[in-house]
Amino acid sequence: MQIALAHSDTIKRRAAMPRSRRWLLIVPALAFLIIFFALPLFQNAVRGLDQQSGNLFSNYATLLTDDYYLKVVVETLVVSFNTTVLTLLIGYPVAYYMVRRAGRMALPMLFLLVAPLLTSIIMRTFGWRVLFARRGIVNEFLDWIGLIDRPINLLNGPFSVYVGQVHILVPFMVLSIIPVLRAVDTRLEESARVLGAGALSTFFRVTLPLSKDGIVTGVILVFMLSTGSFITQLLLGNGSIVTLPLLIFQQFSLTQNIGLASAMGNVLLIIVLTCLFIQLRLTDDKRGAR
Amino acid sequence: MQTNHPASAVGPVVSKQLTLDGVSKRFKGSVALQQVCLTVQPGELISLLGPSGCGKTTTLRLIAGFDFPDEGTVRIDGEDISHLPPNKRGLGMVFQNYSLFPHLTVAQNIGFGLKMANHPKDRISSEVKRMLDMIRLNEYGDRNIAQLSGGQQQRVALARAIVTNPSVLLLDEPLGALDKNLREGMQFEIRRLQQSLGITSVMVTHDQEEAMTMSDRIVVMSHGRILQIGRPHEVYDQPRTRFVAEFLGTANILTCQLEQVQGNRLDFSILRRDGTSDNPPVRQSAHRLRLDSDIVPAWLKQGGIAEIAIRPEKLRLGPLAATDAITLTGTVQQHVFRGSQHSYKIEIPTIGATLTVNQAADSRKSATHQPGDGVTVSFDADAAVLLHPDDVAEPATRIGNSLSPLTQRKAA
């Protein structure tokens, strides 16, 4: 009886939309993805291959064997790693404060956190150039409190690059951690306290493990954004730190070595995909445990 | 501090006494607790009972150390712990939603407290195993919390709380999240465990049945004050105020005027309520009620008005033989069959009130009455309880205006 009913149901649905034509519904979305994502990626993959010389993979060989390019790949990873760690160290306490201590100030704080995202990265980065200039506010201030005699060079070095990167990426970290931290039941912390755990022990044994999901998401997000950023390196580093995106930019606009630039883009893509894969594995594990 | 952390988690439990001495707490200007005094005897289970916002949870949090009192002290065996952080108090606590750590296994959850106390590993695992045996979850040690049912989680939470051999066990609505059948089973199980271990316990609940089933004594709270402390049957049979009478079970409230005092006898006349129940009952009815009282309460003056409570199951349908029995006549308005009893709403025109009457359901003996039937309702005078007009336990703080609620009611 039920089978018969279900059967007649399918027949009815078939009448409304024949199975043979149902795939038409996904065509717009599919077309969009193919034209704007799959094709460019494919094109880039083809561009990265060297059609002139005999070795198709000569661009990749250059990237992964040439000392200079290898150093750039490593530097990209190192800069992104350091940026991520710094962002986490700054972002977690901010997120914790906003969730647990800010109370009514949480919303204004959230606005202050998100507001910078409304202005362009270039504007924000140039802001640091003004602050860090030879006779900028920072130097003037340090001079005024007597910490330095003459202006120090804050710009065009790793310091300003990291400051710029962390400044731009901290909101992403905080925004990733906040919802997870908010979902952590404070009564879990209270039960840990009653069971004899001190405040620090409670944080490291209960709060931190339970906010792992947010940390993983934030870390991966910041790491990916950091590996892909070149404006900060360009405007604040002025060539002192060369990462893959910066090099790609230079290869495209200055040297016009499109093949090598494409290969670098693909290497970057693989790095980012690896990160995503790791994130999925880590957070999936977590979900299974719950 | 050592005294709070018994070195041994096994062996005989030393029951401890918990004392709250004049504890007050304010939150942002509003008073959450006022001068609460309470002594929980060693091995006793006390329930804090009251509606939400009555201060019962605040009291528990002050004992646990999540909040600190503005005034007064919390003591365990005489030692002042009012301002110790929760982890230095050596307590056990079961939360309403169990609060088990979702990132740890069952065994890790139970062993958490022992780990925090730096017990050696083999010791922890043997204690955890003993606890798992006790709560009959031997095979579940390596499972995740999410794989357990509500009742199993409840038992793990209990095991986690008592494995450290706490001086006082705090239960915050421990059965609130369980369904009814399971809850009743757990009530007896927790009670049995608590009694066999002799752990001094404080339970917060808003379920009066749970409080009656599990407690040695019940503390009824309202608006940050203790209204009455007593054994379950004392609080039920001798409620001190109208609030207690109505919060614990159902109560019929009659308004009476004191006619005269003869020795230890108080003669009341039952007042009649006119129109809506909001109106003050001013007109006298023909009914008289004579109560025996050891002492005439200071607040009760000749001609003064008092409220009297009678439990629905102490009212009878039909006349009574006793000479001082009060007999009223009325009409059945509503009849509900509750399995173990019939519950009637009976309108009594002579006192302008509707009384609730519960009769044990036994179809062999009594016929049921239908709405519209005229019936006689009677009760023995000693079934009536004279209620204190003030909702406050310590009249000393309010002695000057202890009659004010009545005068206000009169004036209105």
Side-chain angles (χ1 to χ4, degrees):
Chain A
M1 180 68 184
Q2 263 182 341
I3 295 166
L5 267 177
H7 190 66
S8 72
D9 218 36
T10 10
I11 291 171
K12 235 182 257 168
R13 247 187 284 136
R14 252 187 214 165
M17 169 61 76
R19 180 169 284 172
S20 54
R21 269 185 250 154
R22 258 192 262 167
W23 59 270
L24 276 172
L25 289 174
I26 61 163
V27 165
L30 202 63
F32 182 87
L33 282 174
I34 289 174
I35 294 170
F36 292 101
F37 291 94
L39 277 183
L41 276 177
F42 177 72
Q43 195 189 15
N44 209 41
V46 173
R47 263 205 215 116
L49 301 173
D50 191 352
Q51 268 103 3
Q52 272 108 47
S53 71
N55 185 1
L56 267 183
F57 298 99
S58 67
N59 283 330
Y60 293 96
T62 314
L63 268 179
L64 299 175
T65 51
D66 187 303
D67 274 358
Y68 175 73
Y69 292 116
L70 208 56
K71 219 186 80 196
V72 170
V73 172
V74 171
E75 179 132 4
T76 306
L77 294 175
V78 168
V79 168
S80 299
F81 178 81
N82 291 343
T83 305
T84 308
V85 171
L86 287 171
T87 311
L88 180 62
L89 290 179
I90 294 170
Y92 196 94
V94 173
Y96 188 89
Y97 182 85
M98 285 175 70
V99 172
R100 290 293 161 78
R101 299 269 182 274
R104 272 183 308 155
M105 289 308 291
L107 213 61
M109 279 186 77
L110 194 66
F111 176 75
L112 288 179
L113 191 76
V114 179
L117 301 179
L118 300 174
T119 50
S120 118
I121 291 184
I122 298 180
M123 302 277 283
R124 279 179 281 159
T125 310
F126 262 116
W128 286 113
R129 281 205 78 89
V130 174
L131 291 175
F132 285 158
R134 265 187 77 76
R135 301 228 62 90
I137 291 176
V138 175
N139 265 320
E140 292 286 311
F141 177 74
L142 291 176
D143 192 23
W144 180 67
I145 61 169
L147 220 62
I148 53 171
D149 303 333
R150 51 203 182 82
I152 49 169
N153 187 18
L154 296 163
L155 280 172
N156 307 334
F159 173 76
S160 54
V161 171
Y162 280 120
V163 168
Q165 287 254 53
V166 168
H167 167 228
I168 284 160
L169 295 173
V170 156
F172 294 99
M173 182 65 81
V174 176
L175 290 176
S176 308
I177 294 172
I178 279 181
V180 179
L181 203 53
R182 193 172 281 156
V184 174
D185 191 346
T186 49
R187 275 176 293 193
L188 290 174
E189 293 164 11
E190 287 178 349
S191 21
R193 296 302 305 273
V194 173
L195 289 166
L200 263 183
S201 187
T202 300
F203 176 77
F204 284 110
R205 283 175 190 280
V206 178
T207 317
L208 199 60
L210 289 177
S211 48
K212 193 183 90 183
D213 266 4
I215 295 174
V216 171
T217 308
V219 162
I220 302 294
L221 185 66
V222 165
F223 190 83
M224 291 194 306
L225 287 171
S226 175
T227 50
S229 72
F230 73 97
I231 289 173
T232 323
Q233 283 87 334
L234 188 69
L235 295 180
L236 291 174
N238 206 12
S240 64
I241 288 185
V242 181
T243 55
L244 271 179
L246 188 62
L247 206 55
I248 295 171
F249 172 74
Q250 286 172 351
Q251 295 292 332
F252 261 110
S253 57
L254 304 174
T255 6
Q256 305 261 317
N257 188 347
I258 310 280
L260 189 59
S262 298
M264 282 191 268
N266 291 329
V267 169
L268 199 58
L269 183 69
I270 287 164
I271 292 175
V272 170
L273 284 179
T274 314
C275 290
L276 262 180
F277 178 73
I278 294 170
Q279 181 203 13
L280 286 178
R281 284 306 295 270
L282 284 178
T283 45
D284 263 357
D285 254 25
K286 186 74 207 316
R287 216 154 283 141
R290 266 199 190 153
Chain B
M1 215 129 314
Q2 270 305 323
T3 52
N4 284 342
H5 276 290
S8 162
V10 236
V13 177
V14 184
S15 303
K16 304 219 174 173
Q17 185 190 55
L18 172 76
T19 316
L20 301 186
D21 193 359
V23 171
S24 296
K25 179 70 184 174
R26 277 171 291 275
F27 288 115
K28 287 180 186 154
S30 71
V31 179
L33 276 187
Q34 290 186 61
Q35 295 285 321
V36 166
C37 295
L38 175 66
T39 300
V40 188
Q41 297 304 334
E44 190 180 34
L45 191 152
I46 271 204
S47 287
L48 306 180
L49 184 65
S52 49
C54 71
K56 57 188 197 291
T57 303
T58 305
T59 309
L60 204 71
R61 292 181 64 83
L62 288 178
I63 300 170
F66 301 143
D67 290 313
F68 301 108
D70 295 327
E71 291 166 30
T73 51
V74 181
R75 294 199 201 93
I76 290 178
D77 270 4
E79 189 188 354
D80 186 353
I81 59 158
S82 316
H83 295 281
L84 284 182
N87 49 318
K88 307 273 174 160
R89 297 192 177 198
L91 307 173
M93 184 156 179
V94 177
F95 290 77
Q96 179 172 12
N97 57 353
Y98 321 128
S99 285
L100 296 170
F101 304 122
H103 58 301
L104 302 180
T105 64
V106 170
Q108 285 171 328
N109 263 281
I110 296 176
F112 191 89
L114 297 172
K115 197 171 172 186
M116 289 302 111
N118 289 319
H119 284 293
K121 269 206 176 100
D122 50 340
R123 168 67 182 277
I124 295 176
S125 62
S126 71
E127 279 298 298
V128 167
K129 198 180 167 305
R130 195 171 66 88
M131 280 292 149
L132 284 171
D133 282 345
M134 195 188 71
I135 59 172
R136 302 190 303 278
L137 290 175
N138 325 45
E139 308 299 317
Y140 290 70
D142 293 328
R143 300 236 185 149
N144 286 312
I145 295 303
Q147 291 170 277
L148 302 186
S149 72
Q152 290 169 336
Q153 290 190 23
Q154 222 288 327
R155 269 144 57 198
V156 173
L158 192 64
R160 186 181 69 172
I162 59 178
V163 71
T164 53
N165 196 5
S167 53
V168 175
L169 179 64
L170 305 176
L171 304 155
D172 183 8
E173 307 248 1
L175 306 171
L178 297 180
D179 56 50
K180 197 170 183 297
N181 281 338
L182 200 54
R183 196 159 63 206
E184 282 172 6
M186 284 304 293
Q187 285 174 1
F188 288 102
E189 193 165 335
I190 292 181
R191 177 62 168 156
R192 185 180 53 78
L193 199 65
Q194 182 267 335
Q195 280 181 321
S196 67
L197 295 174
I199 303 181
T200 310
S201 308
V202 179
M203 178 170 83
V204 157
T205 181
H206 63 263
D207 182 339
Q208 40 125 344
E209 262 180 58
E210 193 170 292
M212 298 239 223
T213 312
M214 295 176 66
S215 332
D216 291 302
R217 283 191 298 158
I218 292 177
V219 178
V220 184
M221 298 184 72
S222 174
H223 294 103
R225 288 167 179 272
I226 291 177
L227 299 186
Q228 190 170 4
I229 306 177
R231 304 225 297 246
H233 69 87
E234 287 169 359
V235 180
Y236 185 80
D237 288 338
Q238 297 291 323
R240 219 182 65 81
T241 68
R242 178 170 181 167
F243 181 88
V244 177
E246 291 184 325
F247 193 77
L248 240 75
T250 319
N252 294 300
I253 307 291
L254 301 178
T255 313
C256 301
Q257 187 164 33
L258 184 64
E259 295 289 330
Q260 57 175 331
V261 182
Q262 286 180 337
N264 59 356
R265 297 202 129 185
L266 307 175
D267 280 337
F268 289 96
S269 66
I270 301 173
L271 295 188
R272 175 173 171 184
R273 217 181 284 268
D274 278 341
T276 64
S277 58
D278 292 337
N279 285 346
V282 283
R283 288 174 46 195
Q284 299 210 349
S285 71
H287 298 286
R288 296 287 179 270
L289 177 61
R290 175 170 288 179
L291 293 187
D292 286 336
S293 181
D294 301 338
I295 42 158
V296 180
W299 52 268
L300 192 60
K301 303 275 186 297
Q302 186 116 3
I305 289 174
E307 284 179 325
I308 278 166
I310 308 156
R311 294 291 181 196
E313 66 273 16
K314 287 176 182 161
L315 288 172
R316 289 183 57 90
L317 293 180
L320 273 172
T323 51
D324 60 348
I326 289 86
T327 307
L328 307 162
T329 51
T331 319
V332 176
Q333 280 192 326
Q334 208 183 349
H335 165 234
V336 179
F337 176 59
R338 286 215 180 112
S340 62
Q341 59 187 18
H342 295 284
S343 184
Y344 298 96
K345 296 266 185 224
I346 293 167
E347 191 183 10
I348 313 285
T350 51
I351 59 168
T354 302
L355 301 182
T356 305
V357 181
N358 291 348
Q359 298 278 284
D362 190 342
S363 53
R364 294 169 306 168
K365 284 183 186 162
S366 57
T368 58
H369 300 269
Q370 297 308 314
D373 290 357
V375 290
T376 312
V377 179
S378 56
F379 60 95
D380 287 322
D382 62 2
V385 180
L386 180 62
L387 299 175
H388 195 280
D390 203 338
D391 268 350
V392 181
E394 294 96 345
T397 54
R398 283 236 199 150
I399 207 135
N401 56 354
S402 67
L403 270 176
S404 67
L406 279 180
T407 41
Q408 277 166 9
R409 224 173 284 168
K410 253 188 208 166

